[in-house]
Amino acid sequence: MRRSLTSLAAALLAAGMISVILPVSSASAAACATAWNASTAYQGGTVISYNGHNWSARWWTQNETPGTAGVWADQGGCGSGGGTPAPSCDHPNWVAGQWYAAGSIVRYTDGNHYIAVHENPGYDPVISHWYWDPHTCGGTTPTDPPGQGGFVVSEAQFNQMFPGRNAFYSYSGLTAAMSAYPAFAGAGSDTVRKQEAAAFLANVNHETGGLVHIVEQNTANYPHYCDASQPYGCPAGQAAYYGRGPIQLSWNFNYKAAGDALGINLLADPWRVERESAVAWKTALWYWMTQNGPGTMTAHDAMVNGRGFGETIRSINGSLECGGRNPAQVQSRVSAYQRFTQILGVSPGGNLSC
């Protein structure tokens, strides 16, 4: 009778002709941290668990799901979960003006990868992070400058700059808004980053009377900011698009453009700019980072490319102030900039006036 394979193996084992190789258990995964909660605000460095992995917050975050937002760094599997291989980096280059569906992954010109969290018509991944998030690819993660923990202006310095500010203009609102424009105060040397932060804050200081005024004070101007020739009109009302926020955003077309870039329907609800601190700060950063105004470049580019503080004035209100039109207003901005750079411990640089 033919012996079974089982009995044959047992005989060979007893004879010492084969050996049993027992599986070696892999090192146990790390213990899982406290589970992530969408409503909880997390500071940079906080570790939570989600989907069988531990995740570390790179900067302040709230309601950004681990694994879909660049703020979270994957720390590997935890508990009974295991690590997963790094995602493939075989993704197409980003193309301006090309339509991208949510979930699309592209390689940007800086070599980093970004994932579309909302469909968009080819918006620049490093300009508006409402549409794009940094994406981990091949074990590397884009190193966008963080919001709260990495801002070159500390909360103490911010309070020193604006001792009489309205509580609406909070430091936490500003740092939360920076997630929409991570390149703000994040390009170039430490000196350049501090100069840009000081330049932005000096201009909003002038626009708001030291971060005091949330809305435009001259109510007689309110009905004048509706350009009815625009195809979308003024759905919130003829007098709804008056100046609000740190840059005093005004006109229906500016509310439309800012809202489109930020993923917020500000055309229908412009009052959000005076109700929500982070939204107000985001509109100011939108203008600073993306709009030339009456100038030839954005205020961000002026500071990063060494054109000087005077060029930021031109981009914000140059048609009314530059070229000797209103030297007192220009000097007000320059004086604030010089004071803020002194607080930050950097030189103000040249080309201060316009």
Side-chain angles (χ1 to χ4, degrees):
M1 186 171 86
R2 189 171 64 181
R3 302 172 68 183
S4 70
L5 290 176
T6 302
S7 60
L8 177 60
L12 292 172
L13 177 62
M17 297 178 66
I18 64 172
S19 59
V20 176
I21 301 177
L22 297 175
V24 178
S25 61
S26 59
S28 59
C32 286
T34 303
W36 172 76
N37 186 303
S39 62
T40 301
Y42 297 101
Q43 302 296 324
T46 303
V47 178
I48 54 87
S49 63
Y50 180 78
N51 222 12
H53 281 231
N54 281 330
W55 304 81
S56 175
R58 292 189 173 90
W59 54 87
W60 184 95
T61 179
Q62 185 177 26
N63 196 27
E64 294 180 283
T65 307
T68 65
V71 62
W72 291 108
D74 190 351
Q75 303 298 304
C78 67
S80 59
T84 56
S88 166
C89 286
D90 186 20
H91 298 296
N93 292 329
W94 169 77
V95 178
Q98 176 177 312
W99 185 265
Y100 290 101
S104 301
I105 300 172
V106 297
R107 183 179 185 275
Y108 189 60
T109 54
D110 60 5
N112 291 323
H113 289 78
Y114 296 83
I115 184 169
V117 291
H118 297 93
E119 62 181 21
N120 67 88
Y123 290 139
D124 192 315
V126 301
I127 294 297
S128 178
H129 269 210
W130 191 84
Y131 291 100
W132 296 95
D133 265 343
H135 178 69
T136 302
C137 177
T140 60
T141 303
T143 54
D144 283 335
Q148 190 154 348
F151 188 30
V152 293
V153 179
S154 71
E155 186 166 8
Q157 290 170 328
F158 180 78
N159 290 334
Q160 184 181 354
M161 293 172 178
F162 303 103
R165 65 179 171 83
N166 190 311
F168 174 80
Y169 291 117
S170 65
Y171 180 79
S172 60
L174 171 57
T175 54
M178 287 170 58
S179 65
Y181 293 98
F184 167 68
S189 66
D190 185 62
T191 295
V192 170
R193 294 196 297 271
K194 288 180 178 179
Q195 287 173 340
E196 182 183 5
F200 171 78
L201 293 172
N203 278 297
V204 303
N205 172 80
H206 178 81
E207 296 290 322
T208 61
L211 288 186
V212 171
H213 302 303
I214 300 172
V215 301
E216 184 175 351
Q217 298 300 288
N218 187 356
T219 56
N221 282 340
Y222 285 16
H224 300 157
Y225 295 119
C226 172
D227 181 357
S229 68
Q230 300 295 332
Y232 40 78
C234 299
Q238 172 78 23
Y241 302 100
Y242 50 85
R244 297 179 177 90
I247 293 283
Q248 292 290 283
L249 185 73
S250 56
W251 289 97
N252 55 330
F253 47 81
N254 279 328
Y255 279 91
K256 174 72 163 60
D260 286 350
L262 296 168
I264 307 170
N265 190 357
L266 296 180
L267 184 68
D269 188 4
W271 295 277
R272 287 190 66 177
V273 181
E274 62 186 84
R275 291 198 312 261
E276 302 173 42
S277 179
V279 171
W281 283 114
K282 282 181 180 181
T283 62
L285 290 175
W286 164 79
Y287 192 94
W288 183 267
M289 299 295 294
T290 70
Q291 302 300 298
N292 293 352
T296 60
M297 65 187 70
T298 68
H300 168 72
D301 286 342
M303 295 306 297
V304 170
N305 296 329
R307 295 295 295 272
F309 178 73
E311 198 66 32
T312 72
I313 303 174
R314 192 181 306 280
S315 298
I316 292 173
N317 210 25
S319 59
L320 298 178
E321 295 181 16
C322 293
R325 296 181 183 91
N326 201 328
Q329 297 293 312
V330 171
Q331 188 56 49
S332 169
R333 296 179 193 265
V334 172
S335 296
Y337 174 64
Q338 291 173 320
R339 180 165 60 89
F340 291 171
T341 52
Q342 185 177 20
I343 290 173
L344 296 179
V346 292
S347 163
N351 301 321
L352 299 185
S353 184
C354 62

